[in-house]
């Protein structure tokens, strides 16, 4: 119960910190929650990659392969799924293993896509 409450609190705090974009929309990214075990993140990531996420950038020699960690790969997959499906009801839930952030998680040549609502 305490874990659920702390997760809810983290999401509320992050939502309060969202910055407004110039088109008056919130820019949001879906990333893996660091509190979850790798096996849980891997399960959710495989689901995302099979259900709307574009995960080819996570392959070896591609822009988002490094850092080669489950958390980083899951964050990319979760965000790709969320951005590609949020306009048709997709969410950033992933068995509660993900959360929304206003901070762009892109790094080096790995670009996390943001798709505004139409």
């Amino acid at each position: 119960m305490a874990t659920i409450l702390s997760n809810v609190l983290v999401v509320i705090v992050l939502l309060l910190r969202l910055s407004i974009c110039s088109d008056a929309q919130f820019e949001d990214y879906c990333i893996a929650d660091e509190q979850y075990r790798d096996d849980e993140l891997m399960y959710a990531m495989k689901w995302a990659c099979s259900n709307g996420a574009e995960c080819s950038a996570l392959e070896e020699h591609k822009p988002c392969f490094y850092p080669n960690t489950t958390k980083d790969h899951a964050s990319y997959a979760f965000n790709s799924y969320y951005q590609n499906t949020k306009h048709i009801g997709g969410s950033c839930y992933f068995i509660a293993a993900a959360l929304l952030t206003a901070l762009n998680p892109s790094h080096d040549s790995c670009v996390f896509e943001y798709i505004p609502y139409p």
Side-chain angles (χ1 to χ4, degrees), residues 27-30 52-54 57 64 75-86 101 103-107 110-116:
E27 193 168 306
D28 53 353
Y29 300 89
C30 182
E54 172 50 59
C64 297
S75 289
Y76 184 86
F78 293 170
N79 187 67
S80 177
Y81 172 84
Y82 175 67
Q83 298 299 333
N84 289 327
T85 64
K86 66 184 178 185
T101 181
L103 302 175
N104 186 336
S106 298
H107 53 86
C110 182
V111 176
F112 279 58
E113 185 175 30
Y114 167 70
I115 300 173

Side-chain angles (χ1 to χ4, degrees), residues 5 64 71 78 88 91 95 104 114:
L5 290 176
C64 297
K71 181 193 147 307
F78 293 170
I88 56 170
S91 71
I95 58 171
N104 186 336
Y114 167 70

Side-chain angles (χ1 to χ4, degrees), residues 31-101:
I31 60 170
D33 187 336
E34 294 180 3
Q35 299 178 58
Y36 280 80
R37 296 186 331 242
D38 281 359
D39 62 322
E40 294 170 318
L41 293 175
M42 183 66 73
Y43 176 81
M45 178 177 65
K46 286 180 180 179
W47 185 90
C49 290
S50 299
N51 289 282
E54 172 50 59
C55 297
S56 63
L58 298 172
E59 297 171 6
E60 193 169 5
H61 307 296
K62 297 290 177 103
C64 297
F65 181 72
Y66 291 107
N68 185 15
T69 68
T70 302
K71 181 193 147 307
D72 286 290
H73 284 198
S75 289
Y76 184 86
F78 293 170
N79 187 67
S80 177
Y81 172 84
Y82 175 67
Q83 298 299 333
N84 289 327
T85 64
K86 66 184 178 185
H87 64 284
I88 56 170
S91 71
C92 179
Y93 181 67
F94 300 101
I95 58 171
L99 51 89
L100 290 173
T101 181

Side-chain angles (χ1 to χ4, degrees), residues 15 18-21 23-28 86 114 116-117:
L15 289 174
L18 289 174
S19 59
I20 297 177
C21 298
D23 62 356
Q25 291 186 11
F26 292 105
E27 193 168 306
D28 53 353
K86 66 184 178 185
Y114 167 70
Y117 284 97

